[in-house]
Amino acid sequence: MKNIQEKIEKLKAELLEYSSKYYSENISVISDIEFDTKLKELEKLEEEFPEFKQMDSPTHTVGGIASNKFKKVAHKYPMKSLSNTYSISEVVQFNQRVSKSIKKFNLAYILELKLDGLSIALHYEEGKLVQALTRGDGEIGEDVTDNIREIASIPQKLSQNFTGEIRGEIVLPISEFKRINENRAKMGEVEFANPRNAASGTLRQHDSKVVKERQLDGYFYFLQSPENYYISTHLESIAYIEKLGLKTTGYFAKCTTLQELENTINKYEKLSKKLNFETDGLVIKLNECGLYEQLGTTAKSPRWAIAYKFPAQKETTRLLAVTFQVGRTGVITPVAELEEVLLSGSRVKRASLHNFSEIKRKDIRIGDRVVVEKAAEIIPQVVSSIVGSRSGDELKIVRPVHCPSCNSKLVEKGMALICMNRQCFEKVKQQITYFASRSALNIEGLGEKIVEVLLTHKIVTTLSELYDLESKKSQLMELDGFGKKRVNSLLENIEKSKKISVSKFIYSLGISFVGSVTADILEDSFHTVEAIRSKSVEELLAVNGIGVQTAQSIFDYFRDEHCQIELEELLSKGFQFTEKTYTEVGDSFFYGKKILITGSFEEFKRDDLKEIIKSLGAQNVASISKNTDILLVGNEPGSKLEKAQNYGIMIMTESEFKLKLTEMRK
Ligand code: IVH
């Protein structure tokens, strides 16, 4: 291993040079993605080796939040963001929450476009522009007034003697983005990934002339403290903003019924594709501003507005190769290596292929043109291949015979390929990393990189050996980057991890199908590790929330000879089990809900879905009634969908369901 400190210094120097070239000289030495990758690498190293982190690190100073170039100014009112929804049913819930909270019904909402740019707060005094602040971290922004003055559509002087704050978004028109990138390509410079990045790079220019050249634009959508101007509705605010001489998108639709809202959402979604600026969704705001204070805000966002994000964007690209990853349970996952493509605002080079049955079902071949999809927070995935555009040279994806990490022969279990070697480097690395991760035993300072070092030097070869590190202290201190301070803190954190709840301990073992919800259910039902490990499949199945697959997996784990030895070893290290804190299951979105499944699903088998539903503490029901909470719809849902709509039951699609699961795991 390279000397960690040296590596950190090198990354720091590189990043500082790139960002200084980028921000002050407008030269992109590397692509945005490469820059981000290096920045993330540095962040990770600094997290693992906090003693090497210094205030001058680019992780403090670049990356969009707080560059040192502009004066930092505290916002008079924090700039919050918006919480997201992805479906009409979530919008319905939002309306219900608002109505319940203010005890008013038949409310009017304004639907508008959500611009994908940079938020800006303009301060005017007696009609004159005095300050323009970026969002920054929401509390403190950057003073970019000089650059904002170069934007032609933002008046320095308003038509009236206005004193106050107006917020909006700075965007780069798509036509401008294309023009700039064409020029950059001609000059051999790295192109901007998307208009948003280009706008951000431009606004952070030292040289205001560059801003002028680049034709940035500003659209405004929020007047701070409208009551100061005798304004009581959002629509009036917009009219006032326009009257002052600032630009708005011009698309603000008042909706008084859910049907109207749904129709306008569809209309605006179509419209958004025809505009010369990027949008990433819509915003729904309560029209009556007088109610905003009563509704208040959460730490992150106001309760009187919500964003409606557009569904996942799909793109086509070429599948260049398939690589194979080894997971902690030894399962081999195929990963698509793609020709880079711009997807939902970011460049994508790798995507999940899930498993071999998916590859077979979708008939994906190397060299194919493939459709890739990425919903807002989800990992990109290959949806399908375009068979019609094959040349005949495409290659079938061959299942590997040997493990890419340890080269041992892989074993087929159903459609999965598994590395059975207990000593497989990658597998053990993933197991220990998972065991120490934040949602498991939370051993600070024991990230993937450190685990790799410990395994490479054979200082640790199994989970339980982590707890023998005290006796290998001198060996540890000889390693590069392992100073006395760092070793002591690591040992302390490992020791601390022995005080843990039964559910966290069970979760940390990494048993297949046992996530945090199931681990909680196990602790609630059986209380001790001893009791959990002694249960039969039948006893496990009798627990509400544990399905066949999960029960079998738990049972098999505790019967496996090797796992038994490992567990005994671990338990001999003196764990002190504490009571779990009763939050997760009860807090889960699905907890206690009655869910009905209908139609056919792309990714989930029905039985698996039922198990997931159970494991979330929800109930899977067989027929629809007014008491049903959620209808989970697949393809061709049939008459149940209509019934659910009539009953006003929440309707959730497969992708919405997946998204919720992902959000819950965070
Ligand atoms: S209202 C207090 N309206 O989206 C609420 N925001 O994801 C203020 N955005 O930080 C936000 N278009 O930068 C609002 N029509 C619009 C918007 C909009 C884009 C941005 C804004 C905000 C972010 C939240």
Side-chain angles (χ1 to χ4, degrees):
M1 191 185 75
K2 279 194 203 130
N3 183 308
I4 303 275
Q5 196 169 6
E6 257 175 33
K7 200 164 174 187
I8 288 185
E9 287 306 323
K10 187 164 168 265
L11 275 171
K12 262 167 65 176
E14 277 175 5
L15 285 164
L16 285 173
E17 192 195 318
Y18 299 148
S19 63
S20 117
K21 279 224 157 54
Y22 181 69
Y23 289 125
S24 31
E25 296 168 49
N26 189 27
I27 298 169
S28 279
V29 185
I30 54 171
S31 70
D32 296 353
I33 288 259
E34 281 170 298
F35 185 89
D36 283 348
T37 312
K38 281 187 192 281
L39 194 66
K40 286 216 178 83
E41 194 183 345
L42 179 62
E43 254 167 17
K44 219 169 164 195
L45 281 173
E46 286 179 339
E47 212 180 288
E48 281 179 31
F49 302 93
E51 64 273 31
F52 295 146
K53 183 167 177 169
Q54 283 163 354
M55 283 315 286
D56 69 343
S57 170
T59 53
H60 278 306
T61 54
V62 296
I65 296 173
S67 96
N68 280 335
K69 227 177 50 188
F70 299 101
K71 196 170 77 188
K72 293 196 190 86
V73 180
H75 290 293
K76 210 163 159 195
Y77 300 92
M79 282 180 95
K80 303 258 177 195
S81 67
L82 295 165
S83 47
N84 292 331
T85 59
Y86 298 87
S87 64
I88 301 287
S89 50
E90 283 179 284
V91 174
V92 173
Q93 282 185 320
F94 161 71
N95 172 49
Q96 282 166 351
R97 271 199 310 275
V98 173
S99 278
K100 206 171 151 197
S101 164
I102 52 178
K103 299 190 179 56
K104 274 193 173 183
F105 300 88
N106 306 324
L107 296 161
Y109 291 97
I110 307 301
L111 186 71
E112 59 191 68
L113 299 165
K114 186 168 187 299
L115 297 127
D116 194 12
L118 297 150
S119 31
I120 195 88
L122 300 183
H123 290 266
Y124 283 92
E125 267 170 30
E126 297 182 346
K128 288 200 191 96
L129 177 67
V130 288
Q131 196 169 52
L133 301 177
T134 64
R135 182 170 183 274
D137 64 2
E139 298 288 334
I140 295 171
E142 289 170 326
D143 185 331
V144 289
T145 318
D146 289 344
N147 284 346
I148 290 295
R149 289 192 198 283
E150 298 298 342
I151 300 177
S153 65
I154 298 183
Q156 312 256 355
K157 197 166 181 318
L158 299 174
S159 67
Q160 290 186 21
N161 215 7
F162 170 84
T163 297
E165 182 180 340
I166 292 171
R167 294 181 180 178
E169 206 84 353
I170 302 297
V171 298
L172 186 72
I174 296 174
S175 52
E176 260 299 289
F177 167 71
K178 287 187 179 152
R179 185 189 65 81
I180 294 168
N181 262 359
E182 273 165 26
N183 274 345
R184 288 175 81 87
K186 268 189 224 149
M187 305 292 283
E189 290 171 15
V190 179
E191 293 173 42
F192 285 117
N194 53 41
R196 193 184 178 284
N197 276 16
S200 162
T202 308
L203 204 59
R204 289 149 164 281
Q205 283 290 325
H206 248 337
D207 186 355
S208 299
K209 267 188 267 148
V210 180
V211 185
K212 198 171 185 174
E213 268 165 37
R214 287 206 186 147
Q215 308 287 322
L216 287 177
D217 213 347
Y219 293 94
F220 295 83
Y221 47 66
F222 182 72
L223 171 69
Q224 183 65 54
S225 312
E227 64 283 3
N228 292 352
Y229 316 95
Y230 308 102
I231 284 173
S232 59
T233 67
H234 180 54
L235 265 194
E236 287 168 39
S237 289
I238 298 298
Y240 186 55
I241 291 173
E242 287 172 356
K243 198 166 141 205
L244 290 174
L246 284 161
K247 235 166 122 167
T248 70
T249 64
Y251 295 104
F252 297 87
K254 185 171 169 184
C255 303
T256 48
T257 64
L258 281 165
Q259 193 56 54
E260 216 179 337
L261 204 53
E262 188 168 350
N263 294 346
T264 325
I265 286 177
N266 293 333
K267 194 170 119 195
Y268 272 21
E269 191 174 344
K270 283 199 193 95
L271 164 90
S272 69
K273 299 195 172 71
K274 299 188 183 126
L275 300 169
N276 194 20
F277 49 79
E278 295 244 302
T279 51
D280 60 346
L282 305 170
V283 183
I284 300 159
K285 293 175 182 166
L286 190 60
N287 193 29
E288 215 177 307
C289 306
L291 299 170
Y292 291 2
E293 207 177 296
Q294 199 183 333
L295 278 160
T297 61
T298 67
K300 192 184 150 256
S301 46
R303 290 202 182 87
W304 43 264
I306 203 153
Y308 173 89
K309 299 285 258 194
F310 292 144
Q313 194 196 332
K314 288 187 176 132
E315 281 301 338
T316 66
T317 184
R318 195 164 300 283
L319 177 64
L320 301 175
V322 174
T323 51
F324 302 100
Q325 271 176 0
V326 193
R328 65 167 207 278
T329 53
V331 173
I332 307 292
T333 307
V335 178
E337 307 289 340
L338 305 163
E339 206 171 84
E340 191 174 278
V341 62
L342 198 61
L343 199 57
S344 305
S346 55
R347 294 174 186 204
V348 171
K349 266 183 169 170
R350 304 185 90 203
S352 172
L353 281 169
H354 302 294
N355 53 50
F356 293 96
S357 70
E358 279 290 284
I359 293 180
K360 196 168 169 199
R361 190 174 68 81
K362 294 175 181 165
D363 184 24
I364 294 167
R365 301 183 192 179
I366 295 169
D368 265 349
R369 278 211 78 75
V370 288
V371 179
V372 280
E373 175 190 275
K374 188 179 155 221
E377 267 96 1
I378 290 191
I379 311 157
Q381 56 171 326
V382 176
V383 182
S384 59
S385 62
I386 306 168
V387 180
S389 66
R390 279 187 183 154
S391 68
D393 293 337
E394 293 74 16
L395 299 171
K396 283 209 167 180
I397 296 164
V398 184
R399 289 160 165 250
V401 179
H402 296 106
C403 172
S405 170
C406 68
N407 208 31
S408 61
K409 198 143 195 274
L410 297 173
V411 172
E412 278 190 44
K413 266 197 187 169
M415 282 311 277
L417 266 185
I418 302 183
C419 169
M420 302 297 283
N421 175 10
R422 299 193 190 287
Q423 272 108 38
C424 170
F425 187 92
E426 197 54 36
K427 200 167 136 181
V428 179
K429 185 174 103 186
Q430 297 299 340
Q431 273 165 4
I432 300 183
T433 309
Y434 178 84
F435 185 79
S437 66
R438 194 168 296 175
S439 51
L441 288 203
N442 193 14
I443 306 178
E444 220 179 298
L446 194 60
E448 192 174 328
K449 287 233 158 70
I450 297 289
V451 175
E452 190 167 328
V453 175
L454 297 179
L455 286 173
T456 309
H457 289 80
K458 301 209 165 45
I459 294 176
V460 162
T461 59
T462 64
L463 269 185
S464 52
E465 282 174 17
L466 281 178
Y467 294 93
D468 303 331
L469 278 178
E470 186 70 48
S471 62
K472 296 179 181 165
K473 208 168 164 179
S474 53
Q475 215 180 327
L476 265 180
M477 282 201 281
E478 276 165 29
L479 296 175
D480 269 346
F482 281 74
K484 192 170 169 192
K485 209 168 123 200
R486 164 160 191 71
V487 170
N488 282 340
S489 117
L490 179 64
L491 291 176
E492 238 170 65
N493 293 339
I494 292 177
E495 190 56 33
K496 265 200 293 197
S497 74
K498 288 200 248 170
K499 258 199 179 142
I500 192 80
S501 69
V502 170
S503 69
K504 278 267 179 240
F505 181 82
I506 293 288
Y507 171 85
S508 310
L509 296 174
I511 307 168
S512 301
F513 302 110
V514 179
S516 59
V517 177
T518 307
D520 276 347
I521 295 175
L522 285 171
E523 177 175 348
D524 288 345
S525 312
F526 304 119
H527 313 295
T528 65
V529 176
E530 279 313 311
I532 295 169
R533 66 188 286 201
S534 69
K535 297 298 164 202
S536 65
V537 173
E538 290 69 32
E539 284 169 309
L540 290 164
L541 264 178
V543 177
N544 204 356
I546 294 184
V548 184
Q549 222 170 2
T550 313
Q552 192 65 51
S553 167
I554 298 168
F555 180 81
D556 290 347
Y557 179 89
F558 289 118
R559 295 304 163 285
D560 180 279
E561 197 188 334
H562 180 85
C563 293
Q564 280 186 22
I565 298 169
E566 181 74 26
L567 186 64
E568 283 303 332
E569 277 289 324
L570 255 182
L571 291 173
S572 74
K573 305 297 175 192
F575 277 84
Q576 281 177 284
F577 292 111
T578 56
E579 285 264 311
K580 90 175 169 62
T581 40
Y582 285 82
T583 49
E584 290 188 25
V585 181
D587 274 359
S588 108
F589 173 82
F590 296 99
Y591 185 75
K593 298 234 164 91
K594 290 194 175 66
I595 305 180
L596 177 68
I597 310 174
T598 181
S600 62
F601 293 82
E602 304 251 327
E603 199 169 305
F604 297 107
K605 286 201 203 96
R606 272 214 170 207
D607 282 349
D608 292 346
L609 263 182
K610 285 184 188 164
E611 282 193 24
I612 295 172
I613 288 172
K614 266 175 105 184
S615 73
L616 294 167
Q619 196 187 332
N620 177 231
V621 293
S623 63
I624 198 157
S625 77
K626 284 197 170 117
N627 293 331
T628 312
D629 294 298
I630 300 171
L631 182 74
L632 188 52
V633 288
N635 298 326
E636 294 159 37
S639 64
K640 283 181 185 148
L641 180 60
E642 210 175 310
K643 262 195 186 160
Q645 276 165 338
N646 289 340
Y647 284 145
I649 292 167
M650 176 176 187
I651 295 155
M652 194 174 251
T653 62
E654 185 176 1
S655 57
E656 287 163 6
F657 182 68
K658 276 197 303 197
L659 202 64
K660 261 275 173 290
L661 291 181
T662 319
E663 278 174 7
M664 283 170 53
R665 267 182 229 123
K666 275 184 190 156

